[in-house]
Coordinates of all heavy atoms in Angstrom, one line a residue:
A62 N 94.6 3.2 95.7 CA 94.4 4.6 95.8 C 93.0 5.0 96.1 O 92.6 6.0 96.7 CB 94.9 5.4 94.6
V73 N 85.2 -1.1 93.4 CA 86.1 -0.2 92.7 C 86.1 -0.7 91.2 O 86.2 -1.8 90.9 CB 87.5 -0.2 93.3 CG1 88.2 -1.6 93.2 CG2 88.4 0.8 92.6
P93 N 77.1 -14.8 101.4 CA 76.8 -13.9 100.2 C 76.2 -12.6 100.6 O 76.3 -11.6 99.9 CB 75.9 -14.7 99.3 CG 75.8 -16.0 99.9 CD 76.4 -16.1 101.2
A125 N 70.8 -13.0 97.6 CA 71.3 -11.9 98.4 C 71.5 -10.7 97.5 O 71.1 -9.6 97.9 CB 72.7 -12.3 99.0
L128 N 68.1 -9.2 96.8 CA 67.5 -8.6 98.0 C 68.2 -7.2 98.2 O 67.6 -6.3 98.7 CB 67.6 -9.5 99.3 CG 66.8 -10.8 99.2 CD1 66.7 -11.4 100.5 CD2 65.4 -10.6 98.6
P149 N 74.8 -16.9 88.8 CA 76.0 -17.6 88.8 C 75.8 -19.1 88.4 O 74.8 -19.6 88.6 CB 76.6 -17.5 90.2 CG 75.7 -16.6 91.0 CD 74.4 -16.4 90.2
V160 N 62.1 -16.7 95.8 CA 62.4 -16.2 97.2 C 62.5 -14.7 97.1 O 61.9 -14.0 97.9 CB 63.7 -16.8 97.7 CG1 64.2 -16.1 99.0 CG2 63.5 -18.3 98.0
A161 N 63.2 -14.1 96.1 CA 63.3 -12.7 96.0 C 61.9 -12.0 95.8 O 61.6 -11.0 96.5 CB 64.2 -12.3 94.9
D169 N 57.2 -4.6 100.1 CA 56.2 -3.6 99.5 C 55.0 -3.4 100.3 O 54.6 -2.2 100.6 CB 55.8 -4.0 98.1 CG 56.8 -3.8 97.0 OD1 57.8 -3.1 97.2 OD2 56.7 -4.4 95.9
S199 N 38.2 -16.5 100.7 CA 36.9 -16.1 101.4 C 37.2 -15.0 102.4 O 38.2 -15.1 103.1 CB 36.2 -17.3 102.0 OG 36.9 -17.7 103.1
E231 N 42.7 -20.9 100.6 CA 43.2 -22.2 100.6 C 43.7 -22.6 99.2 O 43.2 -22.2 98.2 CB 42.1 -23.2 101.0 CG 41.7 -23.1 102.4 CD 41.2 -24.4 103.1 OE1 41.6 -25.5 102.5 OE2 40.6 -24.3 104.1
R239 N 48.0 -30.6 105.9 CA 47.5 -29.2 106.0 C 48.5 -28.4 106.8 O 49.0 -28.7 107.9 CB 46.2 -29.2 106.8 CG 45.0 -29.8 106.0 CD 43.7 -29.4 106.8 NE 43.3 -28.0 106.7 CZ 42.6 -27.5 105.7 NH1 42.1 -28.2 104.8 NH2 42.3 -26.2 105.7
P258 N 52.2 6.7 122.6 CA 52.9 8.0 122.4 C 53.4 8.1 120.9 O 53.5 7.2 120.2 CB 54.1 7.9 123.4 CG 54.3 6.5 123.6 CD 53.0 5.8 123.4
M281 N 56.0 -18.0 98.0 CA 57.1 -18.9 97.8 C 56.5 -20.4 97.8 O 56.9 -21.2 96.9 CB 58.1 -18.8 98.9 CG 58.9 -17.5 98.9 SD 60.0 -17.5 100.3 CE 60.2 -15.7 100.6
K314 N 34.4 -12.2 124.6 CA 34.4 -13.7 124.5 C 35.0 -14.1 123.2 O 34.6 -13.6 122.1 CB 32.9 -14.2 124.5 CG 32.8 -15.7 124.6 CD 31.4 -16.1 125.1 CE 31.4 -17.6 125.2 NZ 30.2 -18.1 125.8
S315 N 36.0 -15.0 123.2 CA 36.7 -15.4 122.0 C 35.9 -16.4 121.2 O 35.0 -17.0 121.7 CB 38.1 -15.9 122.4 OG 37.9 -17.1 123.2
R331 N 47.3 -10.0 119.7 CA 47.0 -11.3 120.3 C 45.5 -11.6 120.2 O 45.1 -12.8 120.1 CB 47.5 -11.5 121.7 CG 47.0 -10.5 122.7 CD 47.8 -10.3 123.9 NE 49.0 -9.5 123.7 CZ 50.0 -9.3 124.6 NH1 49.9 -9.9 125.8 NH2 51.0 -8.6 124.4
D351 N 52.1 -19.0 113.2 CA 51.7 -17.6 113.2 C 52.8 -16.7 113.2 O 53.9 -17.0 113.8 CB 50.6 -17.3 114.3 CG 51.3 -17.1 115.6 OD1 51.9 -16.0 115.9 OD2 51.2 -18.0 116.5
V367 N 67.3 -10.2 114.8 CA 67.0 -11.6 115.1 C 65.5 -11.8 115.5 O 65.1 -11.1 116.4 CB 67.9 -12.1 116.3 CG1 67.7 -13.6 116.5 CG2 69.4 -11.8 116.0
F420 N 57.2 -8.1 133.3 CA 58.4 -8.7 132.7 C 58.0 -9.6 131.5 O 56.9 -10.0 131.4 CB 59.0 -9.6 133.8 CG 59.4 -8.9 135.0 CD1 59.1 -9.3 136.3 CD2 60.2 -7.7 134.9 CE1 59.4 -8.6 137.4 CE2 60.5 -7.0 136.1 CZ 60.2 -7.5 137.3
M462 N 61.2 -8.8 105.5 CA 60.7 -10.2 105.8 C 61.7 -10.8 106.8 O 62.9 -11.0 106.5 CB 60.6 -11.0 104.6 CG 60.3 -12.5 105.0 SD 60.3 -13.6 103.5 CE 58.6 -13.5 103.0
V468 N 61.8 -20.1 107.5 CA 60.6 -21.0 107.6 C 60.4 -21.7 106.3 O 60.1 -22.9 106.2 CB 59.3 -20.2 108.0 CG1 58.1 -21.1 107.9 CG2 59.5 -19.8 109.5

Side-chain angles (χ1 to χ4, degrees):
V73 64
L128 297 191
V160 171
D169 281 346
S199 71
E231 289 215 18
R239 289 191 71 92
M281 295 178 204
K314 187 160 184 177
S315 63
R331 60 197 75 184
D351 79 73
V367 187
F420 304 131
M462 172 185 272
V468 169

